Structures are given as structure tokens and as C-alpha cells.
Amino acid sequence: MPATPSAPTRELPELLVLLEPDALREGLLHDARVGLTAASRTLPPKYFYDDAGSELFEDITRLPEYYQTRAERALLAAHADDIAAASGAEALVELGSGSSEKTGLLLGALAAAGTLADYVAVDVSPGALHGALELLARERPAVRVTGVVADFERHLRQLPAPGRRLVAFLGGTLGNLDPAQRARFLTDLAGGLTSGESVLLGVDLVKDPARLVAAYDDAAGVTAAFNRNVLRVLDRQLGADFDPDDFDHVAVWDAEAEWIEMRLRARRDLRVRVPDLDLDLAFAEGEEMRTEISAKFRREGICAELVAAGLEPAGWWTDGDFALVLALRP
């Protein structure tokens, strides 16, 4: 009996590493030293997203209080065809892709438009990339899938450019940057695009502060666990002896800045040692450390920021809570 031919083996998605573990650690050393020794202590939210933090964030997106993910997914389902037509993209590049759950809606629309050839997922977490990309490679065999381990604040101009790109920055993540950081990011992003390429932003809108606070302080405590996870990152990466149970999770609305702040508040007077920074830290009971801002937007404000960065607003889709904004590089 002739042998049954085996099924062809599909190559695993390519993984391009721009952010080496040593570079990530160097960034953490710098950011932790600056933030932990400041008069008002802070930590950048990028360090939430180790593999455990990425999984916790996926849990957050399914919480009843966290409307953003559902709203954004519904907008993509309703308007992906319009976005595909306006962008004419041959490649979808997704910054902070995580599990790439919503990506299929854009990929489907771009594929239907007949232009799509490549999907490039960019994330700081290799673990989040591996699973998502293997699934997409099976679901979209005609699309070349590439993962890039990178920091989107540092590596924008090094990202692959396999064709005319639509760069998607979804999930309201732009709001984690303060106004000066956003200006630098958008200018750098625009500078790395060629004429006719485009950017798709998902932005959360200003609304009732009670709804906003609830979205960042859920009843099940998942966001609290996500917030405290950054202390576990410091313990593991820098040899620190933070006890996450020594800190309460706090979410507050800053009406003047129009952003949510997530903080960690010391439950008692305590001392923390960070050997890799040769730091001994004293926290007073009630002292807070800011771990994230999440800015909320108004249409006129975000469009003005895009224009200042050299991008031309070309599409706005909203349900009143959340918005998708398309901008082109002239």
C-alpha cells in the first residue's frame, strides 16, 4: 500500500526581536530609579505587561465594568470595511497587539478589499505574541504573519514595512501617554510613515466619572491584581522585596487633566529594599505611587494632536463612549 502523504508543515510565524531582554531590563533599571526616587513616585505602565500581566489584562477586557473593549469591537465590526477602503492597506501593523483578539475584524475587511498581504503584531510580551500569532497563521493562511518584540515608544522606525501600512493602535492605549509623550509618539509615528499610509487609533472619550472609575476599579478585583503585578515585576527583575499585599489599589478621576490615575497606596509604614538599584525606600502609611494614567479624549482635541504631528484626520466612528480615528500621512 502506498504511503499516505503527510500534510504540508506550515512554518511558524516569524518573530523579530527588537527589544532584547537585556535592553528591557536596562529600561526598567532606568525607569524604576527615576520613578521610585521622585518626590511623587511613579512607574510607567509598560511594566504591567509581563506574561502574567498580559493575561490579567485580557481578563480585565471581559469584565462587565470595562466597556472599552466591547465598544471598540462593536465599532470595528460595524466599520472595518470603511476603514479598509479608506486606508487601502497592504499590511496591518498592530502596536501593543496582546492577544490580537479584535484583529480578525480588520484582517477580514482588508482581505475582502483584496489588498492585504501581511500582518505585523508588535508587543513587549513574547508570550502574548506566540499564541496569538500561531492562531492567526492557522486562520489566515494567505496572510504572512510576523511578530515583533518591541517597545512602541522606541522602535517605531524599525518596524517592518512590507507594503502600504495601516498602523493600528487600539484599546485606548494612547491614553497611557501624557500630552508631551503623545506629541512625541505621534510625531515619531507620522515621521516613520510614507505618503498614503495611515494610522487607526482607538480612543476612550470623556464621560461620567463614575463609569470611568468603575472601569478601573472592578468589583472582582482583577484590576487591583493587575496593578499590584507591577510590584512582582520589580521583585523578580530587580531583586526587590515588595509585598503586593502591603498596597491598596486606587483609581481616581483627575477632572482637570481629564484622565484616570491608577495608584498603589501603602497600607502601613514600610521599608522596601531594591538591591539591583542599591535603594532603600521608605513608604509612609497612605503614601501613593502612580502606576498609570489613562487619558480620555474629545474629538477636537485628538484631531488637533494628529494635525500637529503631521497627520490628516480622515475618519471618525463613535458610539458616544469610544471612538475609532483614522488619520493619513499626506
Side-chain angles (χ1 to χ4, degrees):
M1 177 182 294
T4 303
S6 59
T9 301
R10 179 178 175 82
E11 291 184 13
L12 293 176
E14 179 185 354
L15 198 63
L16 172 64
V17 178
L18 298 178
L19 183 65
E20 296 287 352
D22 286 349
L24 183 61
R25 175 176 165 76
E26 288 171 11
L28 175 58
L29 285 166
H30 173 269
D31 292 341
R33 182 180 295 280
V34 170
L36 292 173
T37 58
S40 297
R41 290 181 169 125
T42 64
L43 287 170
K46 72 175 74 173
Y47 298 114
F48 285 136
Y49 297 97
D50 64 349
D51 290 348
S54 295
E55 289 180 10
L56 281 167
F57 184 72
E58 291 303 319
D59 292 339
I60 288 170
T61 65
R62 299 180 181 94
L63 293 169
E65 298 95 333
Y66 198 82
Y67 59 85
Q68 290 100 311
T69 302
R70 292 186 297 277
E72 186 175 54
R73 185 182 292 114
L75 288 169
L76 285 168
H79 303 292
D81 290 343
D82 299 325
I83 294 165
S87 69
E90 299 162 333
L92 174 63
V93 178
E94 187 174 8
L95 305 181
S97 57
S99 68
S100 302
E101 246 185 49
K102 292 169 287 195
T103 306
L105 296 166
L106 281 173
L107 289 174
L110 289 165
T115 57
L116 180 68
D118 285 85
Y119 171 60
V120 179
V122 183
D123 203 276
V124 295
S125 170
L129 284 170
H130 277 297
L133 295 184
E134 288 179 20
L135 177 62
L136 281 171
R138 290 195 299 270
E139 293 179 345
R140 298 277 173 186
V143 177
R144 185 167 49 241
V145 176
T146 303
V148 184
V149 181
D151 181 344
F152 61 72
E153 290 186 77
R154 294 170 51 195
H155 299 115
L156 286 175
R157 298 191 184 222
Q158 296 171 251
L159 298 180
R164 187 170 59 252
R165 293 170 294 177
L166 168 62
V167 179
F169 194 35
L170 303 175
T173 310
L174 183 69
N176 294 151
L177 307 177
D178 67 30
Q181 291 171 324
R182 287 200 305 271
R184 287 193 298 271
F185 168 77
L186 290 172
T187 299
D188 196 23
L189 177 57
L193 298 178
T194 60
S195 178
E197 292 189 319
S198 51
V199 177
L200 180 68
L201 301 176
V203 293
D204 198 14
L205 304 180
V206 174
K207 59 179 66 63
D208 177 11
R211 287 187 65 209
L212 289 168
V213 171
Y216 292 83
D217 193 11
D218 61 278
V222 181
T223 310
F226 175 69
N227 195 6
R228 293 190 190 102
N229 184 64
V230 75
L231 300 179
R232 292 188 172 89
V233 171
L234 296 181
D235 288 350
R236 185 177 65 253
Q237 296 291 335
L238 304 183
D241 59 0
F242 280 101
D243 182 347
D245 290 336
D246 283 336
F247 292 84
D248 286 320
H249 163 70
V250 180
V252 295
W253 171 245
D254 184 324
E256 182 176 354
E258 294 193 323
W259 64 43
I260 285 281
E261 289 193 5
M262 289 206 321
R263 306 171 185 168
L264 291 169
R265 178 185 293 157
R267 291 176 172 170
R268 59 181 178 86
D269 292 346
L270 56 96
R271 299 193 69 85
V272 176
R273 174 71 180 158
V274 189
D276 290 10
L277 295 175
D278 194 24
L279 288 178
D280 288 291
L281 306 173
F283 288 82
E285 180 180 356
E287 184 177 348
E288 294 180 345
M289 176 167 57
R290 191 179 77 186
T291 53
E292 182 180 83
I293 65 169
S294 185
K296 308 306 170 185
F297 295 90
R298 301 177 188 272
R299 181 174 185 173
E300 59 275 17
I302 186 59
C303 287
E305 290 186 37
L306 289 167
V307 169
L311 295 164
E312 181 181 309
W316 174 272
W317 301 272
T318 185
D319 62 356
D321 274 342
F322 201 90
L324 295 173
V325 191
L326 183 69
L328 304 179
R329 182 74 165 109

